[in-house]
Amino acid sequence: RKEVEQDPGPFNVPEGATVAFNCTYSNSASQSFFWYRQDCRKEPKLLMSVYSSGNEDGRFTAQLNRASQYISLLIRDSKLSDSATYLCVVNMGWGTDKLIFGTGTRLQVFP
Amino acid sequence: NAGVTQTPKFQVLKTGQSMTLQCAQDMNHEYMSWYRQDPGMGLRLIHYSVGAGITDQGEVPNGYNVSRSTTEDFPLRLLSAAPSQTSVYFCASSSSYRTGPSGELFFGEGSRLTVL
């Protein structure tokens, strides 16, 4: 089983739609969780961290479910500019400095 | 602001050749790392460093060497290039907490390497 797994998509949604991505991780000792965004042929950039209590940043909401070992990203009112690949990133537990990336979920928002 | 600078941006090698990908950051970050990105595989960690003089292996270290003589620089060396090393390579840095990187990795723009 991969350490971090995501549905590769693509998710094709119209503008204004709500879309959600999930990401599962294998290491129950993982402590830090993040969502990164990567545009085509560009470097990844941090979108948001994921906290135990869940967190929201404008149209984006991230949640963590430790019992089921997954994190989620919800995008409301999708914009054309949201089209990108969304990468789930997990720190492999206490005392380790490894950040492991999922393969990414591609989102395409159409007019 | 420069951030993380990678060179070269593009490189073509022949099998068996060696080369070094350069990475420099000007943010005084303790943590630096190298990833490779391949279609369908995502970003995979090659090597990382939590400070000058300290390096460790990631998920796919074979065929690559690193060193960290200064806080700013973290070069990646391909000892004998193979076609399987054709990929896009990203260097990334982060401020580092005791239990691991802070999470916000700052990436360079990537180096596209082709091995024939």
Side-chain angles (χ1 to χ4, degrees):
Chain A
R1 180 184 172 186
K2 290 183 182 177
E3 292 178 292
V4 180
E5 291 199 74
Q6 296 182 253
D7 181 342
F11 285 61
N12 296 306
V13 303
E15 275 186 291
T18 296
V19 62
F21 310 134
N22 281 343
C23 165
T24 59
Y25 61 93
S26 62
N27 189 335
S28 59
S30 295
Q31 297 296 323
S32 304
F33 310 90
F34 312 92
W35 284 102
Y36 277 69
R37 171 190 168 130
Q38 186 175 25
D39 294 309
C40 188
R41 299 180 72 81
K42 296 286 190 180
E43 72 273 22
K45 293 184 179 178
L46 180 67
L47 177 67
M48 59 197 307
S49 301
V50 186
Y51 303 122
S52 296
S53 56
N55 48 303
E56 188 173 310
D57 183 3
R59 298 182 293 109
F60 298 84
T61 300
Q63 300 221 313
L64 168 64
N65 185 319
R66 285 193 184 275
S68 301
Q69 292 182 211
Y70 76 84
I71 66 173
S72 64
L73 177 67
L74 182 77
I75 305 175
R76 291 181 298 278
D77 189 22
S78 297
K79 312 290 185 192
L80 294 175
S81 58
D82 293 335
S83 298
T85 297
Y86 291 84
L87 305 169
C88 170
V89 185
V90 179
N91 178 298
M92 288 289 109
W94 289 108
T96 175
D97 303 295
K98 296 181 181 179
L99 281 178
I100 303 299
F101 282 71
T103 54
T105 298
R106 187 166 167 233
L107 172 66
Q108 184 68 47
V109 182
F110 57 88
Chain B
N1 294 333
V4 179
T5 303
Q6 285 182 239
T7 56
K9 287 188 168 46
F10 300 94
Q11 183 72 49
V12 179
L13 290 177
K14 293 181 180 178
T15 297
Q17 287 185 313
S18 62
M19 76 157 297
T20 299
L21 297 175
Q22 302 291 346
C23 176
Q25 53 90 10
D26 61 0
M27 297 173 281
N28 201 32
H29 283 167
E30 296 177 37
Y31 183 92
M32 295 187 74
S33 55
W34 277 101
Y35 288 85
R36 59 176 289 175
Q37 187 171 34
D38 304 292
M41 303 292 290
L43 282 133
R44 290 181 291 170
L45 182 63
I46 304 172
H47 285 286
Y48 65 98
S49 168
V50 298
I54 306 169
T55 64
D56 207 346
Q57 296 182 348
E59 302 169 89
V60 288
N62 292 341
Y64 307 95
N65 273 0
V66 292
S67 59
R68 185 92 180 270
S69 55
T70 67
T71 299
E72 294 78 18
D73 300 300
F74 191 45
L76 178 71
R77 296 185 191 83
L78 281 71
L79 307 174
S80 177
S84 60
Q85 293 179 304
T86 294
S87 188
V88 179
Y89 291 85
F90 287 101
C91 178
S93 73
S94 174
S95 56
S96 180
Y97 295 157
R98 194 169 48 186
T99 57
S102 67
E104 180 156 19
L105 285 171
F106 292 85
F107 284 83
E109 293 182 339
S111 298
R112 284 170 170 75
L113 175 66
T114 301
V115 183
L116 302 176

